[in-house]
Amino acid sequence: MPPLTRDRSSKLPFVVLVLAAGTFLMGTTEFVIAGLLPEIADDLDVSVSQAGLLITAFAAGMIVGAPLMAIATLRLPRRSTLILALVVFALGHTVAALSSSFAVVLAARVVTALATGAFWCIGAVVATTAAGPAATSRALGMLLGGMTLASVAGVPLGSWLGQVSDWRGPFWVLAALSAGAAAVIGRFIPDEERRETRSVRAEFTALRQGRVWLVLSAIVLLLGGVLATYTYISPLLTERAGIPTWAVPLVLTGYGLGALLGTTVGGRMGDHRPLATLITAAAATTLVLLLLVFLSTSPVATVVLVTVMGVTGFAATPVLGALVMRFAGSAPTLASALSSSASNVGIAIGSAVAGIALSSSLQQAGPPLIGTVAAALTLVPLTALALMRATRTTATPPPPAAPHLVVEPVTTATTAEAERIIHSPFSRSE
């Protein structure tokens, strides 16, 4: 990648948009299965609950695969890793579309999840490096925006295509689009100017930072709380709020648009005041979920709160991802992968606990109550970071007369990564 500068232009590099298109494909494939379960179950001669394992397998593959692939591909050029991930992604969908065996389709989903994990952790590093230190959160917000846009547009379109053709149709389209994305990335994303020496030991050493684990715990809690509510949003809307079934997709679209707005606004604010943005977002999410527990008997209030939940819940995600990479210093790849794993751990645990609450006497109010508790607990690690003054640094800036001076690294950090640490915008006081 070219050396970073301190350019504070409001325009993100084109490569960030290219990578966001890739995350759009990844997000679509992760969630489109939910709308195709009956068709898949019927065609592959399994029950709907068995077909649901395709979703579980993908989440498990992301939890384990993201850090595993981050280490496995550490010494490969990043552009090559992104292209390879998209090629494997395309092949996984092709195999699934050609197979009539549920076991083969399940295995293909796991392989696809591994490719998704590799693309995300490397793509996050490439995007933030290309964007520069002044736009780290915004760049991650753009990548997350691609994932969010998938829930607004990609998943509904994929479900529609699967219903008018068969469930294999979306798989063929995703295979073709990911192959095209690989070609675009090969064309527009520059390769490293020189071979970097990346150390597995340095990646694991970066995890000794207690601040990294505080941020990862915040990711688990906040996303676990929001997704615990979202997983069982349909019964809340129809059975508790009395919203007609045909209107549920419209409400979910509002939630998706809110999440897209949240990642955009949160990314912009987080580059200037990261902890203030995070604490505000977590507190607002806690309040929204608490109100949803008591006001979800009103259709109008429920629609408004679900939309706002998307805004507040996802405003923190790009900032959390940026802090994980910042605290990891010169070895951000594994930390970026673990942030992806933390998201899926939060989703898995939150959804499981919310399902138990839904079956209890709390009924439809159970999931948002679980979400409220989880979101409130997010304030614990965030407060600890604030008390530690974690985003402050005593690093001495380089002499103004030589802003592009290249210093030989004494660790495994690249020149670009070293400059990113030195010129970090998070050195501003909270």
Side-chain angles (χ1 to χ4, degrees):
M1 299 298 294
L4 294 176
T5 67
R6 284 177 285 182
D7 178 20
R8 297 180 182 273
S9 169
S10 60
K11 185 177 181 181
L12 290 173
F14 180 68
V15 295
V16 179
L17 300 179
V18 174
L19 292 169
T23 61
F24 171 81
L25 297 177
M26 306 294 173
T28 299
T29 199
E30 182 171 6
F31 299 113
V32 74
I33 291 292
L36 302 174
L37 286 182
E39 291 81 3
I40 294 175
D42 184 63
D43 185 60
L44 299 181
D45 195 24
V46 296
S47 66
V48 173
S49 60
Q50 285 178 300
L53 291 175
L54 296 174
I55 299 175
T56 306
F58 193 95
M62 282 289 292
I63 292 172
V64 177
L68 181 65
M69 296 307 295
I71 294 301
T73 61
L74 187 63
R75 297 185 184 277
L76 293 177
R78 286 172 178 154
R79 182 177 66 178
S80 300
T81 302
L82 292 172
I83 294 173
L84 179 61
L86 285 167
V87 169
V88 173
F89 186 87
L91 290 175
H93 284 81
T94 301
V95 169
L98 290 172
S99 178
S100 59
S101 166
F102 178 73
V104 172
V105 175
L106 187 66
R109 287 286 288 175
V110 174
V111 172
T112 302
L114 294 177
T116 300
F119 185 91
W120 172 255
C121 63
I122 300 300
V125 175
V126 171
T128 54
T129 302
T136 300
S137 292
R138 275 206 300 136
L140 287 179
M142 180 66 72
L143 262 63
L144 289 167
M147 191 79 71
T148 305
L149 187 60
S151 65
V152 177
V155 172
L157 286 174
S159 299
W160 171 80
L161 179 60
Q163 291 169 2
V164 298
S165 57
D166 63 20
W167 67 269
R168 302 173 194 274
F171 279 66
W172 284 117
V173 171
L174 286 167
L177 290 176
S178 54
V184 172
I185 282 178
R187 169 66 178 83
F188 288 103
I189 292 187
D191 207 352
E192 289 95 345
E193 291 186 340
R194 61 182 178 84
R195 178 63 62 89
E196 298 179 8
T197 302
R198 304 190 186 107
S199 168
V200 174
R201 180 179 180 181
E203 294 288 337
F204 280 101
T205 299
L207 300 183
R208 296 178 182 176
Q209 291 280 346
R211 298 177 300 175
V212 171
W213 293 102
L214 286 173
V215 178
L216 290 175
S217 65
I219 293 174
V220 171
L221 289 166
L222 187 60
L223 285 182
V226 173
L227 272 299
T229 305
Y230 181 77
T231 300
Y232 298 99
I233 199 68
S234 290
L236 179 75
L237 295 175
T238 57
E239 298 175 27
R240 184 171 174 84
I243 295 173
T245 303
W246 62 264
V248 171
L250 298 177
V251 179
L252 298 185
T253 299
Y255 167 85
L257 292 173
L260 186 60
L261 176 63
T263 55
T264 302
V265 174
R268 288 183 177 274
M269 296 177 62
D271 279 323
H272 302 288
R273 300 185 64 88
L275 284 180
T277 302
L278 289 175
I279 292 174
T280 301
T285 302
T286 302
L287 178 60
V288 169
L289 291 172
L290 182 62
L291 290 174
L292 198 57
V293 173
F294 296 102
L295 301 181
S296 53
T297 53
S298 166
V300 174
T302 301
V303 171
V304 172
L305 289 171
V306 168
T307 302
V308 176
M309 179 180 72
V311 177
T312 60
F314 282 85
T317 50
V319 191
L320 289 167
L323 282 185
V324 166
M325 297 176 65
R326 182 258 172 116
F327 293 154
S330 61
T333 306
L334 181 57
S336 173
L338 287 175
S339 68
S340 176
S341 296
S343 301
N344 284 278
V345 168
I347 292 171
I349 296 177
S351 299
V353 176
I356 296 174
L358 181 66
S359 302
S360 72
S361 59
L362 295 171
Q363 296 182 330
Q364 294 84 14
L369 181 59
I370 296 299
T372 301
V373 174
L377 289 175
T378 306
L379 294 169
V380 175
L382 294 181
T383 301
L385 288 169
L387 293 175
M388 293 167 57
R389 298 185 176 183
T391 56
R392 298 190 181 191
T393 178
T394 57
T396 303
H404 301 296
L405 178 65
V406 176
V407 182
E408 280 297 318
V410 295
T411 67
T412 57
T414 65
T415 302
E417 288 167 338
E419 286 190 2
R420 176 155 64 90
I421 298 167
I422 294 172
H423 300 305
S424 173
F426 297 104
S427 61
R428 302 177 183 179
S429 297
E430 282 292 295

